[in-house]
């Protein structure tokens, strides 16, 4: 069982009191405890069973505009005292930085809402094993499947964030994750694919048979791929790939990237960056949401942000330090986005797939080919050739390329949004991308 709030608060208060006694003008501390249990299977046999128990703290001390930090997993009084002494001595000799500060007191979270992020259910290891047995039986039912790997992880955590301005709060979270990787083979090729389910509550996890069947079917349909030539073509991105476009967008509008001048979206607030049909929202208060939070890693209240409205960029993701550099107030995004998503489009998935005589449907990208400075995008990919709305055959060994400045303005979204992850997107089409093939 994870440590309770009272214990974590006592450790946090002890740290802050010591830091102030040593002469720190300000201080911030996070104390957390997490327990994780994982069971792994391979080819229908138990491979490993692990448990980790992590208890630790991190503290930042300030002396005017000087700041330093230190962390430890030893929470005994004597160690904490030594730790903070070392931290503060380092602070004294650290150069001043005019942008260092605790968050504005008026922006700190005042009240914790119950977002239903914690499930106290304990899924015993023997139940994890039975779940994975059923999953692997389903995943390996077809003869083409020659290898399976699966795992089930249960994580429970609790934390307290406190600072010398009087903020002190935190909450428990839980996470249950089941995953399956399958390898299929026929006379022409060997392919792999995966499926997973990750939820705050155990009862929301996909059934093992459904998870195994989906992983196997996705793998088998990739067998015997064809190669295609180079051309400009409309590309449809499966939902689990489309969300990656949003992740790139989030990185490009982070205050740190904007302050460094390393983003192609610098100085774009109030300008059209997507088509006028596109809306992007970051919503921290979704019940059971994978990215839900009451406040960010600095204690600043997290509210819903309309990042893009009718294609126009409205907000950056601002933390305190980089906000000071940009003369912007923190909007509770120290640590990044919460539940980030494109709003649904106006067209059904079926109609999107039928929209063109010929298109590519991408199910996997390979490599990290995003340049945030220039906006250039180039990745390896696999997927399917689609003609007149029908999936004709799998394709592989292709490279897709473009520039986000153009790609964002050519996005068409289906209306099949589901909240499966902390970043979510409907199925997406981008018109006129470059494909390099054989």
């Amino acid at each position: 069982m994870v440590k309770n709030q009272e214990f974590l608060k006592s450790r946090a208060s002890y740290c802050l009191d010591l830091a102030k006694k040593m002469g720190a003008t300000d201080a911030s501390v996070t104390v957390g405890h997490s327990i994780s249990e994982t069971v792994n299977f391979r080819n229908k046999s138990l491979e490993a069973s692990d448990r980790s128990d992590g208890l630790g703290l991190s503290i930042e001390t300030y002396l005017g505009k000087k700041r330093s930090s230190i962390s430890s997993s030893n929470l005994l009084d004597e160690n904490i005292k030594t730790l903070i002494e070392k931290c503060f001595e380092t602070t004294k000799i650290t150069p001043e930085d005019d942008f260092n500060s605790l968050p504005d007191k008026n922006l700190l979270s005042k009240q914790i809402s119950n977002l239903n992020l914690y499930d106290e259910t304990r899924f015993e290891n023997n139940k994890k094993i039975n779940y994975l047995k059923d999953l692997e039986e389903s995943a390996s039912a077809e003869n083409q499947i020659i290898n399976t790997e699966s795992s089930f992880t249960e994580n429970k955590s609790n934390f307290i964030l406190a600072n010398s301005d009087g903020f002190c709060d935190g909450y428990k979270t839980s996470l249950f994750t089941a995953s399956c990787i399958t390898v299929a083979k026929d006379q022409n090729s060997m392919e792999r694919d995966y499926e997973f389910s990750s939820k705050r509550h155990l009862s929301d996890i996909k059934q093992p048979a459904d998870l195994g069947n989906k992983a196997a079917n996705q793998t088998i349909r990739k067998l015997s791929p064809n190669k295609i030539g180079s051309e400009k073509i409309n590309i449809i991105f499966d939902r689990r790939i489309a969300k990656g476009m949003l992740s790139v967008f989030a990185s490009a509008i982070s205050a740190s990237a904007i302050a460094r001048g390393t983003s192609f979206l610098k100085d774009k607030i109030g300008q059209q960056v997507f088509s006028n049909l596109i809306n992007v929202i970051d919503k921290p208060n979704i019940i059971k949401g994978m990215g839900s939070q009451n406040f960010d890693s600095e204690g600043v209240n997290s509210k819903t942000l309309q990042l893009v409205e009718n294609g126009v960029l409205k907000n950056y993701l601002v933390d305190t330090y980089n906000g000071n550099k940009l003369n912007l107030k923190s909007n509770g995004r120290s640590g990044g986005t919460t539940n980030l998503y494109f709003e649904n489009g106006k067209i059904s998935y079926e109609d999107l797939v039928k929209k063109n005589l010929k298109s590519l449907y991408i199910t996997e990208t390979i490599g990290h080919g995003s340049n945030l400075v220039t906006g250039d995008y180039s990745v390896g990919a696999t997927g399917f050739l689609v003609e007149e709305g029908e999936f004709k055959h799998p394709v592989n060994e292709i490279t897709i390329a473009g520039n986000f400045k153009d790609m964002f303005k050519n996005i068409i979204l289906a209306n099949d949004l589901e909240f499966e992850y902390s970043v979510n997107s409907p199925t997406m089409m981008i018109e006129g991308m470059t494909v390099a093939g054989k």
Side-chain angles (χ1 to χ4, degrees), residues 184-320:
K185 183 179 181 181
D186 67 5
Q187 65 273 22
N188 298 313
S189 71
M190 185 182 298
E191 305 293 337
R192 65 171 290 282
D193 211 312
Y194 67 93
E195 186 58 40
F196 74 96
S197 178
S198 192
K199 297 293 180 182
R200 293 293 187 184
H201 285 242
L202 178 62
S203 59
D204 295 327
I205 285 284
K206 290 178 181 176
Q207 292 300 307
D210 296 338
L211 198 64
N213 285 332
K214 189 168 184 180
N217 291 336
Q218 288 175 169
T219 308
I220 291 170
R221 71 196 292 244
K222 293 169 71 174
L223 289 170
S224 297
N226 294 347
K227 293 180 174 53
I228 59 172
S230 300
E231 61 181 314
K232 276 209 165 188
I233 191 170
N234 294 344
I235 292 181
I236 302 172
F237 292 89
D238 185 79
R239 285 182 300 197
R240 65 180 184 179
I241 307 302
K243 68 187 182 71
M245 298 293 173
L246 265 183
S247 296
V248 172
F249 169 71
S251 297
I253 62 167
S254 70
S256 59
I258 301 300
R260 292 193 306 268
T262 57
S263 171
F264 67 95
L265 291 177
K266 182 184 178 184
D267 299 326
K268 296 296 185 182
I269 292 290
Q271 294 187 31
Q272 195 91 25
V273 295
F274 289 87
S275 80
N276 59 11
L277 297 176
I278 301 298
N279 294 290
V280 180
I281 295 170
D282 190 46
K283 189 175 178 64
N285 60 351
I286 294 176
I287 301 300
K288 297 184 183 180
M290 297 300 293
S292 292
Q293 62 183 35
N294 280 279
F295 51 82
D296 69 5
S297 60
E298 299 177 317
V300 176
N301 187 35
S302 297
K303 297 180 180 179
T304 297
L305 273 183
Q306 179 98 36
L307 297 172
V308 175
E309 185 176 8
N310 299 327
V312 176
L313 182 62
K314 293 293 187 179
N315 288 287
Y316 292 136
L317 302 170
V318 187
D319 61 288
T320 298

Side-chain angles (χ1 to χ4, degrees), residues 425-436:
S425 171
T427 304
M428 170 191 296
M429 175 184 286
I430 299 182
E431 299 179 308
M433 292 192 68
T434 299
V435 174

